[in-house]
Amino acid sequence: MKNKIRFLFIGAIVLLQSCSKQDYFDVPKDSSGNVIITTVSSTTSNGISTLDDNFTINAVLPNAKAGDTMTVELLKQQVPSGAPAGTATQLLPIAGTQKKVIVASDLTTSVIFTRAEALMTKAGDVVTVTFAGKTEAAMRVITMTKATTVSGTKYNGKVVPIIRSAGPAYFDVNVSPKLAAYAGTVLVKNKNGINDPWQTVGNFPGTSQVPISGDDFAVGKDTMYYAFISQVGNFSDTVTQTILNSNPYFQFKKTGKMTLGGSSAGVNMLVNGAVAANNAMAIMAIDDSSLIIHGGTAWAVGGKGISFVKSTLAVYNENNSDKIIMAFMAGTAAATAAPTSGEGVYIFKIVNGPNATDIFYGILKVVSIVPGSSINYEYRIGNLYAQLAVLQ
């Protein structure tokens, strides 16, 4: 009986405890008493470039309260003070960078740091910004970027090598600080040897195409050094480029086969496209068992034509376009080329229209032939940048 009374007493205590109010954490609720589910904090920044004095960090702090004080601080990879030589760096606060900011009614805040505070001096320098408060925290990593960018050498938007006699190409130059649009100019200098003095090319707007030509290089010198210098106040930005110059050459090498009769007895040499001998695009064609190469009869009208000067394999392999063109001008041009004559190599000149830009030089090599049937060929063409938009 005593045991039954004891069990009833204990059960009553357990029942009373189970009915008592439980403790909960103090979580945010709306006016109806529902728990408010908040998002995580976030930060934004325009960053900082080599031509900027400061950067701003904006923070959205959904778990803070309006009027909260946030402590903001900069951290950087550093060797701890007093550590022995060889100690690895750690992410540590930068002395004197702690700031207090107040959370606004929309739960946002922002802070500005100068490049001096962040110990930033060059592109690639990194600093970490931290926000810390009672109920919220945030972080952002800031990397200093180059304000000035310079492309490789281009023509008509395509990257090209620099070649003597090929015509002018250009650098794409753009200066874009983070704080404001660039209002200054870019000073461009060059020198044609590592020990030569710098020469001024000119001053250009912050967004420019700066010309360069292979003919700007001195005879016997194949390296040019360029410096692009922009400046905002006391901050300057320098980008350097080392440009190698090539002797003039034909940039395209094409191979193919002309077969007597049918749809491949002619070639559109601008795109190396096989066509019939009587096609209006057949710049080069064969039409009988002799396999004599000539201009296509439907194409070679209205002043259009192709002519040939006999050459050698050595000239073909050297591929010096200036020498090849001079050899053509010094030779005796003919309207046809015999594939079995000499070394089977011919310099050619294509006149594809009335303008100077319609003239194309190149050199053709007969690789092999099947008598009375076909020719395997190879040719080089395209010595000017202006031809790159036409040749494929």
Side-chain angles (χ1 to χ4, degrees):
M1 184 68 177
K2 289 182 179 179
N3 288 337
K4 287 184 180 180
I5 294 172
R6 184 180 295 115
F7 288 142
L8 287 172
F9 179 71
I10 293 172
I13 293 174
V14 171
L15 181 61
L16 287 171
Q17 287 180 338
S18 64
C19 293
S20 63
K21 184 179 178 181
Q22 298 294 312
D23 289 331
Y24 289 95
F25 290 107
D26 184 15
V27 295
K29 298 177 183 179
D30 62 20
S31 58
S32 300
N34 298 313
V35 174
I36 299 172
I37 305 300
T38 58
T39 56
V40 297
S41 63
S42 62
T43 57
T44 59
S45 176
N46 287 335
I48 184 170
S49 79
T50 44
L51 293 181
D52 294 312
D53 177 60
N54 60 73
F55 60 91
T56 300
I57 302 290
N58 304 300
V60 178
L61 306 165
N63 301 306
K65 294 179 181 178
D68 279 357
T69 298
M70 303 294 292
T71 300
V72 190
E73 193 168 26
L74 298 181
L75 291 80
K76 195 178 186 73
Q77 288 289 338
Q78 307 169 63
V79 175
S81 177
T87 301
T89 61
Q90 300 174 30
L91 190 62
L92 299 172
I94 299 175
T97 61
Q98 216 178 75
K99 298 184 180 184
K100 304 291 185 179
V101 294
I102 304 301
V103 178
S105 59
D106 60 356
L107 303 184
T108 65
T109 192
S110 64
V111 63
I112 297 174
F113 285 98
T114 66
R115 62 192 289 165
E117 288 175 314
L119 305 180
M120 288 178 152
T121 59
K122 63 184 184 303
D125 284 350
V126 178
V127 71
T128 299
V129 187
T130 61
F131 292 75
K134 274 186 180 182
T135 60
E136 187 60 289
M139 185 181 74
R140 186 85 182 180
V141 175
I142 301 293
T143 301
M144 178 174 276
T145 60
K146 228 16 173 166
T148 306
T149 58
V150 181
S151 73
T153 51
K154 292 183 175 181
Y155 182 85
N156 200 27
K158 299 173 73 173
V159 176
V160 296
I162 295 302
I163 306 170
R164 292 185 191 273
S165 305
Y170 60 85
F171 300 97
D172 270 332
V173 179
N174 185 55
V175 186
S176 297
K178 303 292 186 180
L179 290 179
Y182 187 66
T185 60
V186 180
L187 172 62
V188 181
K189 297 182 176 182
N190 67 10
K191 58 181 181 178
N192 203 181
I194 190 66
N195 295 318
D196 289 355
W198 287 101
Q199 306 292 327
T200 297
V201 176
N203 284 279
F204 297 82
T207 300
S208 299
Q209 291 185 335
V210 176
I212 178 174
S213 170
D215 293 331
D216 295 339
F217 291 62
V219 175
K221 291 189 175 183
D222 61 3
T223 305
M224 185 85 79
Y225 302 89
Y226 271 80
F228 304 83
I229 305 163
S230 51
Q231 188 163 356
V232 173
N234 295 324
F235 305 123
S236 65
D237 206 9
T238 300
V239 176
T240 58
Q241 294 262 30
T242 300
I243 306 301
L244 299 180
N245 191 25
S246 299
N247 287 326
Y249 68 94
F250 292 111
Q251 300 175 60
F252 293 93
K253 182 169 75 171
K254 309 287 188 179
T255 60
K257 182 178 183 178
M258 288 188 292
T259 301
L260 194 61
S263 60
S264 61
V267 182
N268 178 353
M269 299 181 73
L270 302 184
V271 298
N272 194 32
V275 293
N278 60 358
N279 188 286
M281 299 302 293
I283 295 174
M284 186 169 68
I286 54 175
D287 53 21
D288 61 41
S289 59
S290 70
L291 303 181
I292 296 297
I293 301 168
H294 58 81
T297 53
W299 168 77
V301 296
K304 294 180 180 180
I306 184 171
S307 49
F308 303 90
V309 170
K310 191 176 292 187
S311 189
T312 66
L313 282 171
V315 172
Y316 182 89
N317 292 333
E318 184 184 6
N319 190 22
N320 185 307
S321 58
D322 277 2
K323 291 181 180 180
I324 289 170
I325 292 170
M326 286 189 293
F328 180 93
M329 293 177 176
T332 301
T336 60
T340 58
S341 177
E343 298 183 46
V345 177
Y346 291 88
I347 305 167
F348 60 81
K349 177 183 179 182
I350 297 170
V351 179
N352 197 44
N355 303 314
T357 54
D358 296 320
I359 296 175
F360 300 84
Y361 287 93
I363 187 165
L364 170 72
K365 177 174 73 172
V366 175
V367 177
S368 63
I369 64 172
V370 176
S373 176
S374 63
I375 297 173
N376 284 293
Y377 63 83
E378 182 178 292
Y379 66 93
R380 302 181 189 273
I381 194 170
N383 60 301
L384 301 175
Y385 299 132
Q387 297 173 350
L388 300 181
V390 178
L391 299 172
Q392 296 178 27

mmCIF file of all heavy atoms in Angstrom, residues 113-144:
data_model
loop_
_atom_site.group_PDB
_atom_site.id
_atom_site.type_symbol
_atom_site.label_atom_id
_atom_site.label_comp_id
_atom_site.label_asym_id
_atom_site.label_seq_id
_atom_site.Cartn_x
_atom_site.Cartn_y
_atom_site.Cartn_z
ATOM 1 N N PHE A 113 37.205 53.297 -45.727
ATOM 2 C CA PHE A 113 38.604 53.175 -45.315
ATOM 3 C C PHE A 113 39.491 53.722 -46.431
ATOM 4 O O PHE A 113 39.191 53.542 -47.621
ATOM 5 C CB PHE A 113 38.981 51.711 -45.053
ATOM 6 C CG PHE A 113 38.435 51.160 -43.775
ATOM 7 C CD1 PHE A 113 37.271 50.402 -43.772
ATOM 8 C CD2 PHE A 113 39.079 51.400 -42.564
ATOM 9 C CE1 PHE A 113 36.766 49.879 -42.594
ATOM 10 C CE2 PHE A 113 38.573 50.885 -41.374
ATOM 11 C CZ PHE A 113 37.409 50.126 -41.383
ATOM 12 N N THR A 114 40.565 54.383 -46.051
ATOM 13 C CA THR A 114 41.527 54.860 -47.047
ATOM 14 C C THR A 114 42.512 53.746 -47.383
ATOM 15 O O THR A 114 42.670 52.778 -46.623
ATOM 16 C CB THR A 114 42.311 56.073 -46.527
ATOM 17 O OG1 THR A 114 43.141 55.656 -45.428
ATOM 18 C CG2 THR A 114 41.367 57.184 -46.081
ATOM 19 N N ARG A 115 43.180 53.903 -48.524
ATOM 20 C CA ARG A 115 44.185 52.912 -48.912
ATOM 21 C C ARG A 115 45.341 52.914 -47.922
ATOM 22 O O ARG A 115 45.971 51.875 -47.698
ATOM 23 C CB ARG A 115 44.683 53.174 -50.340
ATOM 24 C CG ARG A 115 45.358 54.504 -50.541
ATOM 25 C CD ARG A 115 45.569 54.830 -52.012
ATOM 26 N NE ARG A 115 46.595 53.992 -52.608
ATOM 27 C CZ ARG A 115 46.771 53.870 -53.933
ATOM 28 N NH1 ARG A 115 45.965 54.506 -54.765
ATOM 29 N NH2 ARG A 115 47.724 53.118 -54.399
ATOM 30 N N ALA A 116 45.621 54.083 -47.313
ATOM 31 C CA ALA A 116 46.689 54.147 -46.313
ATOM 32 C C ALA A 116 46.315 53.329 -45.076
ATOM 33 O O ALA A 116 47.149 52.599 -44.532
ATOM 34 C CB ALA A 116 46.963 55.597 -45.937
ATOM 35 N N GLU A 117 45.049 53.438 -44.631
ATOM 36 C CA GLU A 117 44.594 52.648 -43.493
ATOM 37 C C GLU A 117 44.682 51.151 -43.790
ATOM 38 O O GLU A 117 45.028 50.345 -42.921
ATOM 39 C CB GLU A 117 43.151 53.019 -43.148
ATOM 40 C CG GLU A 117 42.989 54.391 -42.501
ATOM 41 C CD GLU A 117 41.532 54.744 -42.295
ATOM 42 O OE1 GLU A 117 40.723 54.545 -43.237
ATOM 43 O OE2 GLU A 117 41.186 55.226 -41.197
ATOM 44 N N ALA A 118 44.362 50.803 -45.041
ATOM 45 C CA ALA A 118 44.350 49.395 -45.432
ATOM 46 C C ALA A 118 45.727 48.887 -45.843
ATOM 47 O O ALA A 118 45.867 47.714 -46.211
ATOM 48 C CB ALA A 118 43.365 49.194 -46.580
ATOM 49 N N LEU A 119 46.736 49.757 -45.772
ATOM 50 C CA LEU A 119 48.114 49.384 -46.148
ATOM 51 C C LEU A 119 48.174 48.854 -47.573
ATOM 52 O O LEU A 119 48.902 47.907 -47.884
ATOM 53 C CB LEU A 119 48.677 48.345 -45.173
ATOM 54 C CG LEU A 119 48.662 48.716 -43.681
ATOM 55 C CD1 LEU A 119 49.252 47.581 -42.838
ATOM 56 C CD2 LEU A 119 49.410 50.016 -43.434
ATOM 57 N N MET A 120 47.405 49.476 -48.478
ATOM 58 C CA MET A 120 47.364 49.060 -49.880
ATOM 59 C C MET A 120 48.209 49.992 -50.729
ATOM 60 O O MET A 120 48.044 51.219 -50.670
ATOM 61 C CB MET A 120 45.922 49.050 -50.397
ATOM 62 C CG MET A 120 45.083 47.917 -49.856
ATOM 63 S SD MET A 120 43.386 47.991 -50.471
ATOM 64 C CE MET A 120 42.935 46.243 -50.413
ATOM 65 N N THR A 121 49.097 49.435 -51.518
ATOM 66 C CA THR A 121 49.972 50.255 -52.359
ATOM 67 C C THR A 121 50.006 49.801 -53.810
ATOM 68 O O THR A 121 50.366 50.581 -54.689
ATOM 69 C CB THR A 121 51.416 50.238 -51.822
ATOM 70 O OG1 THR A 121 51.884 48.875 -51.799
ATOM 71 C CG2 THR A 121 51.492 50.834 -50.430
ATOM 72 N N LYS A 122 49.623 48.558 -54.072
ATOM 73 C CA LYS A 122 49.768 48.023 -55.444
ATOM 74 C C LYS A 122 48.650 47.040 -55.749
ATOM 75 O O LYS A 122 47.980 46.523 -54.850
ATOM 76 C CB LYS A 122 51.120 47.343 -55.611
ATOM 77 C CG LYS A 122 51.317 46.133 -54.731
ATOM 78 C CD LYS A 122 52.711 45.555 -54.855
ATOM 79 C CE LYS A 122 52.885 44.280 -54.051
ATOM 80 N NZ LYS A 122 52.576 44.448 -52.624
ATOM 81 N N ALA A 123 48.459 46.792 -57.038
ATOM 82 C CA ALA A 123 47.459 45.819 -57.473
ATOM 83 C C ALA A 123 47.771 44.454 -56.869
ATOM 84 O O ALA A 123 48.920 44.033 -56.815
ATOM 85 C CB ALA A 123 47.439 45.721 -58.996
ATOM 86 N N GLY A 124 46.711 43.800 -56.391
ATOM 87 C CA GLY A 124 46.877 42.493 -55.760
ATOM 88 C C GLY A 124 46.894 42.541 -54.250
ATOM 89 O O GLY A 124 46.737 41.498 -53.599
ATOM 90 N N ASP A 125 47.091 43.732 -53.648
ATOM 91 C CA ASP A 125 47.029 43.848 -52.190
ATOM 92 C C ASP A 125 45.611 43.519 -51.714
ATOM 93 O O ASP A 125 44.624 43.941 -52.325
ATOM 94 C CB ASP A 125 47.409 45.264 -51.743
ATOM 95 C CG ASP A 125 48.917 45.507 -51.803
ATOM 96 O OD1 ASP A 125 49.650 44.529 -52.000
ATOM 97 O OD2 ASP A 125 49.337 46.666 -51.662
ATOM 98 N N VAL A 126 45.526 42.781 -50.596
ATOM 99 C CA VAL A 126 44.238 42.280 -50.102
ATOM 100 C C VAL A 126 44.044 42.685 -48.646
ATOM 101 O O VAL A 126 44.990 42.679 -47.848
ATOM 102 C CB VAL A 126 44.172 40.734 -50.213
ATOM 103 C CG1 VAL A 126 42.855 40.204 -49.650
ATOM 104 C CG2 VAL A 126 44.335 40.293 -51.664
ATOM 105 N N VAL A 127 42.804 43.038 -48.298
ATOM 106 C CA VAL A 127 42.454 43.332 -46.920
ATOM 107 C C VAL A 127 41.071 42.736 -46.640
ATOM 108 O O VAL A 127 40.233 42.638 -47.547
ATOM 109 C CB VAL A 127 42.474 44.856 -46.651
ATOM 110 C CG1 VAL A 127 41.315 45.554 -47.340
ATOM 111 C CG2 VAL A 127 42.460 45.152 -45.162
ATOM 112 N N THR A 128 40.843 42.312 -45.395
ATOM 113 C CA THR A 128 39.545 41.769 -44.982
ATOM 114 C C THR A 128 38.862 42.761 -44.051
ATOM 115 O O THR A 128 39.486 43.253 -43.104
ATOM 116 C CB THR A 128 39.723 40.412 -44.272
ATOM 117 O OG1 THR A 128 40.326 39.486 -45.176
ATOM 118 C CG2 THR A 128 38.374 39.859 -43.824
ATOM 119 N N VAL A 129 37.607 43.063 -44.342
ATOM 120 C CA VAL A 129 36.820 43.991 -43.519
ATOM 121 C C VAL A 129 35.815 43.170 -42.707
ATOM 122 O O VAL A 129 35.080 42.354 -43.273
ATOM 123 C CB VAL A 129 36.058 45.002 -44.390
ATOM 124 C CG1 VAL A 129 35.378 46.057 -43.520
ATOM 125 C CG2 VAL A 129 37.002 45.661 -45.391
ATOM 126 N N THR A 130 35.790 43.373 -41.392
ATOM 127 C CA THR A 130 34.845 42.642 -40.539
ATOM 128 C C THR A 130 33.918 43.607 -39.810
ATOM 129 O O THR A 130 34.330 44.677 -39.365
ATOM 130 C CB THR A 130 35.582 41.774 -39.501
ATOM 131 O OG1 THR A 130 36.367 42.629 -38.652
ATOM 132 C CG2 THR A 130 36.477 40.753 -40.169
ATOM 133 N N PHE A 131 32.647 43.208 -39.691
ATOM 134 C CA PHE A 131 31.645 43.925 -38.899
ATOM 135 C C PHE A 131 31.252 43.005 -37.744
ATOM 136 O O PHE A 131 30.956 41.823 -37.967
ATOM 137 C CB PHE A 131 30.395 44.213 -39.733
ATOM 138 C CG PHE A 131 30.578 45.203 -40.848
ATOM 139 C CD1 PHE A 131 31.240 44.846 -42.010
ATOM 140 C CD2 PHE A 131 30.069 46.490 -40.749
ATOM 141 C CE1 PHE A 131 31.392 45.738 -43.056
ATOM 142 C CE2 PHE A 131 30.215 47.397 -41.788
ATOM 143 C CZ PHE A 131 30.879 47.030 -42.947
ATOM 144 N N ALA A 132 31.209 43.530 -36.535
ATOM 145 C CA ALA A 132 30.829 42.715 -35.374
ATOM 146 C C ALA A 132 29.906 43.522 -34.457
ATOM 147 O O ALA A 132 30.191 44.676 -34.140
ATOM 148 C CB ALA A 132 32.060 42.263 -34.608
ATOM 149 N N GLY A 133 28.790 42.890 -34.051
ATOM 150 C CA GLY A 133 27.855 43.539 -33.149
ATOM 151 C C GLY A 133 27.257 42.526 -32.193
ATOM 152 O O GLY A 133 27.668 41.363 -32.151
ATOM 153 N N LYS A 134 26.250 42.955 -31.414
ATOM 154 C CA LYS A 134 25.626 42.077 -30.421
ATOM 155 C C LYS A 134 24.998 40.845 -31.060
ATOM 156 O O LYS A 134 25.164 39.716 -30.591
ATOM 157 C CB LYS A 134 24.538 42.850 -29.667
ATOM 158 C CG LYS A 134 25.025 43.637 -28.484
ATOM 159 C CD LYS A 134 23.826 44.233 -27.759
ATOM 160 C CE LYS A 134 24.295 45.052 -26.547
ATOM 161 N NZ LYS A 134 23.138 45.590 -25.822
ATOM 162 N N THR A 135 24.237 41.059 -32.121
ATOM 163 C CA THR A 135 23.464 39.953 -32.715
ATOM 164 C C THR A 135 23.772 39.735 -34.188
ATOM 165 O O THR A 135 23.074 38.991 -34.861
ATOM 166 C CB THR A 135 21.957 40.246 -32.576
ATOM 167 O OG1 THR A 135 21.655 41.480 -33.266
ATOM 168 C CG2 THR A 135 21.538 40.328 -31.135
ATOM 169 N N GLU A 136 24.826 40.391 -34.707
ATOM 170 C CA GLU A 136 25.088 40.300 -36.141
ATOM 171 C C GLU A 136 26.565 40.443 -36.436
ATOM 172 O O GLU A 136 27.325 41.014 -35.628
ATOM 173 C CB GLU A 136 24.300 41.403 -36.881
ATOM 174 C CG GLU A 136 24.348 41.336 -38.388
ATOM 175 C CD GLU A 136 23.807 40.057 -38.972
ATOM 176 O OE1 GLU A 136 24.490 39.014 -38.818
ATOM 177 O OE2 GLU A 136 22.709 40.081 -39.565
ATOM 178 N N ALA A 137 26.981 39.911 -37.576
ATOM 179 C CA ALA A 137 28.360 40.030 -38.038
ATOM 180 C C ALA A 137 28.363 39.963 -39.556
ATOM 181 O O ALA A 137 27.428 39.449 -40.175
ATOM 182 C CB ALA A 137 29.225 38.902 -37.453
ATOM 183 N N ALA A 138 29.416 40.499 -40.165
ATOM 184 C CA ALA A 138 29.554 40.461 -41.627
ATOM 185 C C ALA A 138 31.031 40.579 -41.971
ATOM 186 O O ALA A 138 31.856 40.987 -41.140
ATOM 187 C CB ALA A 138 28.741 41.573 -42.282
ATOM 188 N N MET A 139 31.343 40.238 -43.214
ATOM 189 C CA MET A 139 32.752 40.262 -43.641
ATOM 190 C C MET A 139 32.828 40.523 -45.136
ATOM 191 O O MET A 139 31.926 40.152 -45.896
ATOM 192 C CB MET A 139 33.421 38.923 -43.313
ATOM 193 C CG MET A 139 34.918 38.888 -43.611
ATOM 194 S SD MET A 139 35.628 37.261 -43.229
ATOM 195 C CE MET A 139 34.985 36.299 -44.592
ATOM 196 N N ARG A 140 33.906 41.144 -45.582
ATOM 197 C CA ARG A 140 34.142 41.373 -47.003
ATOM 198 C C ARG A 140 35.647 41.394 -47.259
ATOM 199 O O ARG A 140 36.414 41.988 -46.494
ATOM 200 C CB ARG A 140 33.544 42.715 -47.449
ATOM 201 C CG ARG A 140 33.611 42.968 -48.944
ATOM 202 C CD ARG A 140 32.437 42.340 -49.626
ATOM 203 N NE ARG A 140 32.460 42.503 -51.070
ATOM 204 C CZ ARG A 140 31.522 42.032 -51.866
ATOM 205 N NH1 ARG A 140 30.486 41.381 -51.343
ATOM 206 N NH2 ARG A 140 31.586 42.190 -53.164
ATOM 207 N N VAL A 141 36.081 40.742 -48.341
ATOM 208 C CA VAL A 141 37.484 40.770 -48.752
ATOM 209 C C VAL A 141 37.619 41.761 -49.907
ATOM 210 O O VAL A 141 36.865 41.690 -50.886
ATOM 211 C CB VAL A 141 37.974 39.375 -49.183
ATOM 212 C CG1 VAL A 141 39.408 39.456 -49.713
ATOM 213 C CG2 VAL A 141 37.897 38.406 -48.014
ATOM 214 N N ILE A 142 38.557 42.675 -49.799
ATOM 215 C CA ILE A 142 38.783 43.701 -50.818
ATOM 216 C C ILE A 142 40.169 43.497 -51.414
ATOM 217 O O ILE A 142 41.159 43.380 -50.688
ATOM 218 C CB ILE A 142 38.681 45.124 -50.230
ATOM 219 C CG1 ILE A 142 37.302 45.346 -49.607
ATOM 220 C CG2 ILE A 142 38.971 46.173 -51.292
ATOM 221 C CD1 ILE A 142 36.168 45.360 -50.594
ATOM 222 N N THR A 143 40.228 43.476 -52.748
ATOM 223 C CA THR A 143 41.510 43.340 -53.454
ATOM 224 C C THR A 143 41.726 44.563 -54.333
ATOM 225 O O THR A 143 40.839 44.949 -55.108
ATOM 226 C CB THR A 143 41.517 42.078 -54.335
ATOM 227 O OG1 THR A 143 41.286 40.936 -53.509
ATOM 228 C CG2 THR A 143 42.852 41.915 -55.043
ATOM 229 N N MET A 144 42.879 45.194 -54.235
ATOM 230 C CA MET A 144 43.193 46.337 -55.090
ATOM 231 C C MET A 144 43.456 45.836 -56.515
ATOM 232 O O MET A 144 44.209 44.883 -56.719
ATOM 233 C CB MET A 144 44.405 47.104 -54.557
ATOM 234 C CG MET A 144 44.802 48.290 -55.440
ATOM 235 S SD MET A 144 46.131 49.298 -54.721
ATOM 236 C CE MET A 144 45.183 50.370 -53.638
#
